[in-house]
Amino acid sequence: LVFAHEVTDQVQARRVVEESGQQARTLAAELAASNQQLTRTNVDLDNFIYTASHDLKAPISNIEGLLYLLQEELPPEVAQDPEIGPTLTRMFDAVERFKRTIDHLTEVSKLQQEHALATAPVNLAAVIEDVRRDLETLLRATGANLVVDVPALPAIEFSEKNLRSIVYNLLSNAVKYHSPDRPPRVDLRAHVRPGHTVLEVHDNGLGLAAHQLPQLFGMFRRFHDHVEGTGIGLYMVKRMVENAGGRIEVHSQLGAGTTFFVFLPHANPGGAPFPEFVPQ
């Protein structure tokens, strides 16, 4: 007796499985190599930013010192010349902008290493009140109306220093980029969602066009040059939020204003909330 069974389909199927497995292993090896290369590139970039910002501090300090010396040595009639005086002022301003950029680059370098930054339960309302006091001079100078609505909230799991920096950047930007056509108003609200608090910062300022929004959080990106800045603040805000396990979104309309939504993780979702915000 002879029994025959067609196994062509099984052999072909086994061959396909083996080939697929080999392709998967090859892709995994290529992905691992790419990740290693990306890690090395990121480390090199971090080292470059740190080294460049560190090495540039000495020469810019020397330039600043020479400018002060030149200002002291100039005869009064020369220093008060309508062309020389303003030129010196512009030179000092340029040095200050350069120093701020160096400081921000140093902060960016530090942010690259902050994925394992120590966090603690932070009172969001207390941080907001602290920032509001720091911005009182700017609020008075611009005539801005800051309205804060922060109810009793659970603790935020965050670095207090970084959370303060986030709130300060968003509030100060909302005031500085106000529209000349109307009194500036900034509304700051917070509400609780499962596992996190959403911080909203809404302004009635200049706003942005839709095509500008994808570039908003890029390094050195600026869309309104009449306000002093380096274009690093929002990049750092996004990094600090994401490093802590949160996220940030933005909605804006050109000429109408901008709203930032910052999703901040809770320290203990079931914990007792902090007291309600009470302006002083």
Side-chain angles (χ1 to χ4, degrees):
L1 296 176
V2 177
F3 296 93
H5 181 67
E6 176 62 57
V7 295
T8 302
D9 291 341
Q10 296 179 18
V11 172
Q12 289 178 344
R14 185 166 60 248
R15 191 172 298 163
V16 168
V17 170
E18 291 174 352
E19 291 175 354
S20 299
Q22 180 61 39
Q23 290 176 353
R25 288 190 292 272
T26 301
L27 289 174
E30 292 175 353
L31 181 59
S34 297
N35 285 338
Q36 290 178 358
Q37 180 61 42
L38 182 59
T39 300
R40 287 194 294 268
T41 300
N42 286 338
V43 171
D44 291 342
L45 180 59
D46 294 344
N47 291 336
F48 170 77
I49 292 175
Y50 176 80
T51 303
S53 59
H54 182 271
D55 292 349
L56 287 172
K57 287 182 179 180
I60 199 63
S61 296
N62 291 338
I63 293 174
E64 185 178 32
L66 292 172
L67 282 175
Y68 279 115
L69 180 62
L70 176 62
Q71 188 179 49
E72 293 175 359
E73 294 295 328
L74 285 176
E77 62 275 12
V78 176
Q80 296 172 6
D81 184 274
E83 292 187 1
I84 294 178
T87 299
L88 276 175
T89 299
R90 288 194 296 271
M91 293 172 72
F92 278 115
D93 289 343
V95 168
E96 284 300 317
R97 287 197 300 274
F98 201 103
K99 288 167 62 179
R100 284 198 298 272
T101 300
I102 291 174
D103 290 340
H104 285 155
L105 284 173
T106 302
E107 292 300 317
V108 168
S109 176
K110 292 178 181 177
L111 277 177
Q112 310 297 334
Q113 311 298 328
E114 284 194 351
H115 290 285
L117 183 69
T119 61
V122 181
N123 185 344
L124 177 61
V127 171
I128 292 172
E129 172 63 6
D130 185 44
V131 171
R132 185 191 67 80
R133 290 176 179 174
D134 285 349
L135 291 175
E136 280 183 349
T137 301
L138 178 62
L139 293 171
R140 285 197 300 267
T142 57
N145 181 23
L146 173 61
V147 179
V148 179
D149 180 15
V150 180
L153 296 169
I156 306 300
E157 184 67 30
F158 225 90
S159 158
E160 184 170 356
K161 171 183 69 70
N162 284 359
L163 184 58
R164 188 188 185 284
S165 180
I166 290 167
V167 175
Y168 186 93
N169 268 280
L170 295 179
L171 286 185
S172 60
N173 282 353
V175 176
K176 288 189 293 186
Y177 292 99
H178 65 272
S179 172
D181 301 327
R182 51 188 172 270
R185 176 187 171 104
V186 182
D187 290 276
L188 191 153
R189 297 184 289 269
H191 52 89
V192 177
R193 291 291 181 268
H196 60 271
T197 289
V198 182
L199 173 67
E200 297 182 21
V201 181
H202 173 74
D203 66 65
N204 64 343
L206 297 171
L208 295 167
H211 72 274
Q212 295 174 319
L213 294 180
Q215 310 170 52
L216 182 61
F217 296 103
M219 195 182 299
F220 301 116
R221 298 300 303 176
R222 302 189 66 220
F223 302 105
H224 302 294
D225 295 331
H226 67 286
V227 177
E228 189 69 33
T230 60
I232 298 180
L234 287 179
Y235 169 84
M236 295 177 64
V237 164
K238 188 172 188 292
R239 287 302 301 264
M240 286 186 283
V241 170
E242 292 180 347
N243 284 354
R247 75 179 192 274
I248 184 168
E249 299 175 0
V250 58
H251 298 167
S252 188
Q253 183 177 350
L254 188 62
T258 302
T259 302
F260 287 91
F261 299 88
V262 187
F263 295 79
L264 302 167
H266 287 165
N268 180 7
F274 280 113
E276 184 174 355
F277 171 84
V278 179
Q280 300 297 320

